Amino acid sequence: WYLLTLILMLCSAPLILYWQNVVSPAGVLIGPPAIVLTSIALISGFLFLITWPIGGGLSWPFAWLTDQSISVCEWFVRGADRLPGACWYLPSPPIWWLIGFYTILIGALAGVRLGPIKTSLGSRFTPLVRPSVPAILLGAWTSLGLLVGAWKPASDELHVHFLAVGHGGCVVIVTPERRVLLYDAGSLSGPEVTRRHIAPFLWSLGVSRVDELFVSHGDLDHFNGLPALADRFAIGQVTLTPSFEQRHAPGVQHVMNDLRRRQIAIRETWADDQFRSGDVQFRVLHPPTQGPDGPENARSLVMLIEHAGHRILLTGDLEKKGLDWVLELPPQPVDVLMAPHHGSRTANTEKLVTWASPRLAIASDGPKQAGTKEEDIYTKKKIPYWITWPHGMITLRSHRTGLIAESFRTGQRMVVATAGR
């Protein structure tokens, strides 16, 4: 049984990986017991349905047996899920590799081995392929797929993707040398944002590791997808603001405990810190080491990304005293401004627009209630203003020749800046 389960797992694993981005070695371990237990539950469940109309307690043993079988099966599954390496989340293999794999596999199962084979009638025939040939071909094809998947050629472009996660935030930054950085990972819709939006997008890029995750501040809609992200991807480091861990909110404490349990490196950052990744420069403008007073939004991480002469400013939910603190700094003309606090009118003021002078403003937000429309300062100032609803994901491509913005859902394209402009 275990051998059969192993064979079935190996045969179906590429297809499951393509559609679900998961491989589960633990399935081999619990496969035979799960088959037995679910078969018992299926049979006893039918017997329960048949005997229940008769009454008289005749159906009770079948109900009990069904319940116990399912409970024990669930115990096996939960126990296997806690084992190290129980399942691996990986990017989907390319479709050409999947077609090649199953072409070789079907050829192997079709028939054919080289060398005389005696039939029941005494005759002999010579099929086409030796038994070892399909195994060698499958091994070689799998090795080719692994090599292609591991090959990530460097480029001279910086990509910044504002994912459409509803009212929340997740900005995926892919540097020219293929380092993957995230700014926030959360949504008001809940932790499912990772499974539904963030993880599928990262897998579409062939990503299996997040080098660093910046959390702008301690509001759930900006970090509640982090534990699920750590389930699916290796995370090199998580960078927090000084006030993040000081919050006693259950969500913050849960995430901090989860990061320490996984032994993920944690560091804090504050104003005047600078980081570099190849040709990409990151400058932290806010918050200071302490304060400012007020809600957590006021202590949002404000980070300036500079590449090839282009400037992109990420602002989290910056507002109130935090916004006032930033606006006291020397003006920072930027090409693209993340509209703070999801484009809220109170945070996106005329003073901010004058200070940043953006050529494009982007807000990460979900659909508004029918009949509600806030007048935004960017439209009044004739500055293009894109919101992830309804534009979908918005991608910035920075190259030495210019900065391009593209929207996934609406297909809009804008040349934000050109060389020397």
Side-chain angles (χ1 to χ4, degrees):
W1 279 26
Y2 278 100
L3 178 60
L4 180 60
T5 304
L6 176 62
I7 293 172
L8 290 174
M9 192 274 283
L10 292 175
C11 292
S12 61
L15 196 59
I16 295 173
L17 180 61
Y18 181 79
W19 288 109
Q20 301 293 332
N21 296 101
V22 65
V23 175
S24 180
V28 178
L29 180 64
I30 65 173
I35 291 172
V36 172
L37 290 166
T38 52
S39 298
I40 293 173
L42 184 64
I43 294 170
S44 60
F46 275 120
L47 292 174
F48 168 76
L49 292 174
I50 292 171
T51 57
W52 179 75
I54 300 174
L58 185 62
S59 61
W60 180 86
F62 301 118
W64 179 86
L65 185 58
T66 302
D67 178 69
Q68 293 302 307
S69 300
I70 294 174
S71 297
V72 174
C73 185
E74 183 180 9
W75 179 83
F76 268 109
V77 172
R78 291 186 182 276
D81 187 51
R82 288 192 292 267
L83 294 175
C87 64
W88 306 328
Y89 291 96
L90 298 167
S92 300
I95 188 65
W96 60 264
W97 182 89
L98 196 70
I99 293 172
F101 178 88
Y102 282 105
T103 299
I104 297 171
L105 183 62
I106 291 171
L109 297 176
V112 279
R113 301 181 181 176
L114 202 53
I117 296 179
K118 189 174 181 179
T119 68
S120 58
L121 299 177
S123 60
R124 300 169 72 85
F125 72 95
T126 303
L128 303 176
V129 182
R130 292 188 183 277
S132 59
V133 172
I136 294 172
L137 288 175
L138 285 174
W141 193 252
T142 301
S143 299
L144 175 64
L146 292 172
L147 288 173
V148 171
W151 183 55
K152 296 179 180 179
S155 73
D156 52 1
E157 278 193 349
L158 167 71
H159 293 177
V160 180
H161 308 275
F162 292 77
L163 301 194
V165 296
H167 186 97
C170 183
V171 181
V172 178
I173 304 160
V174 184
T175 66
E177 66 273 19
R178 304 292 295 175
R179 294 192 74 230
V180 178
L181 316 173
L182 265 63
Y183 179 90
D184 284 339
S187 174
L188 206 61
S189 63
E192 285 291 293
V193 65
T194 292
R195 184 179 66 83
R196 293 178 178 174
H197 300 287
I198 302 174
F201 176 70
L202 292 176
W203 284 325
S204 75
L205 298 179
V207 170
S208 57
R209 172 186 169 85
V210 173
D211 294 285
E212 187 164 2
L213 171 63
F214 296 91
V215 180
S216 66
H217 64 295
D219 279 355
L220 275 173
D221 59 322
H222 290 258
F223 71 87
N224 59 6
L226 202 164
L229 190 75
D231 284 338
R232 292 162 171 78
F233 299 88
I235 299 178
Q237 182 169 258
V238 173
T239 299
L240 309 171
T241 57
S243 66
F244 183 88
E245 191 173 0
Q246 297 171 11
R247 294 201 72 193
H248 298 294
V252 169
Q253 299 306 313
H254 171 73
V255 164
M256 294 305 300
N257 292 336
D258 188 65
L259 292 175
R260 292 192 175 98
R261 178 180 62 83
R262 299 175 189 270
Q263 298 183 330
I264 296 175
I266 302 171
R267 72 168 172 179
E268 291 184 353
T269 189
W270 48 79
D272 297 326
D273 279 349
Q274 296 190 30
F275 318 109
R276 178 170 287 278
S277 178
D279 294 333
V280 185
Q281 177 81 19
F282 299 85
R283 292 172 49 204
V284 177
L285 306 184
H286 183 266
T289 54
Q290 293 185 345
D293 297 333
E296 179 67 6
N297 287 352
R299 293 178 289 279
S300 289
L301 173 64
V302 178
M303 189 163 63
L304 180 65
I305 305 173
E306 298 174 285
H307 174 259
H310 307 129
R311 296 156 61 88
I312 302 164
L313 188 66
L314 305 180
T315 59
D317 276 356
L318 185 69
E319 63 174 353
K320 298 184 177 178
K321 288 186 178 180
L323 178 60
D324 294 338
W325 195 92
V326 169
L327 295 180
E328 291 298 320
L329 299 174
Q332 295 284 347
V334 298
D335 294 296
V336 179
L337 170 69
M338 170 191 272
H341 204 185
H342 316 283
S344 166
R345 184 171 54 185
T346 57
N348 293 267
T349 63
E350 185 168 348
K351 189 174 181 181
L352 171 64
V353 174
T354 302
W355 181 85
S357 302
R359 293 186 172 122
L360 170 66
I362 298 174
S364 179
D365 201 7
K368 300 292 186 183
Q369 293 183 353
T372 62
K373 180 175 175 58
E374 293 185 347
E375 184 181 16
D376 66 270
I377 188 65
Y378 304 105
T379 302
K380 288 175 64 176
K381 295 289 186 179
K382 295 183 170 41
I383 297 170
Y385 181 44
W386 292 6
I387 308 175
T388 52
W389 182 272
H391 283 284
M393 180 183 70
I394 298 168
T395 295
L396 305 176
R397 303 179 187 274
S398 171
H399 186 265
R400 58 184 175 81
T401 60
L403 177 64
I404 306 296
E406 300 169 330
S407 65
F408 178 77
R409 183 178 295 162
T410 58
Q412 288 188 244
R413 187 175 187 272
M414 173 186 173
V415 178
V416 181
T418 56
R421 172 175 172 262

